Amino acid sequence: MSEAGATIDVRHDPDRRRFEARVDGAVAFTAYRRQGEDTVVFTHTEVPSAAEGKGVGSRLARTALEWARAQGLRVVAECPFVASYIRRHPEYAELVDG
């Protein structure tokens, strides 16, 4: 993504347990692990420095949380970025476990 406002294409890679976005030849991602049958733990978000401030992390978090909602999963946000995103977007607070 080199242009402001360019579309950020996020893909779910269940084998690697993460959501990914390719940005200027690099990969940004939000990783997770499953905990039991009904909980997903978001563990880490990484965005290449060249892509910071372009909404990539927010797009990853939103896509991951929408996936969790569609799967009927409870969410644990170990990742500080995902936790912060949830605080800024209270529509996802209902997904939080505990």
Side-chain angles (χ1 to χ4, degrees):
M1 182 178 88
S2 57
E3 299 176 37
T7 300
I8 301 166
D9 183 31
V10 175
R11 297 178 189 269
H12 183 204
D13 184 344
D15 293 334
R16 297 182 78 181
R17 294 182 303 275
R18 65 189 201 172
F19 290 84
E20 301 177 336
R22 302 241 178 243
V23 184
D24 294 333
V27 177
F29 65 90
T30 294
Y32 68 87
R33 73 174 184 272
R34 294 293 298 266
Q35 184 172 290
E37 292 189 24
D38 64 349
T39 302
V40 61
V41 180
F42 292 108
T43 58
H44 181 69
T45 297
E46 189 169 309
V47 176
S49 58
E52 289 178 0
K54 296 181 180 180
V56 177
S58 292
R59 179 77 169 123
L60 286 164
R62 183 173 70 239
T63 301
L65 291 165
E66 287 297 331
W67 168 80
R69 176 178 278 153
Q71 299 297 312
L73 299 172
R74 303 296 296 156
V75 168
V76 175
E78 286 181 359
C79 169
F81 186 86
V82 174
S84 175
Y85 186 88
I86 292 169
R87 283 192 299 276
R88 292 188 320 270
H89 297 87
E91 64 270 24
Y92 296 110
E94 68 189 33
L95 300 176
V96 176
D97 190 27

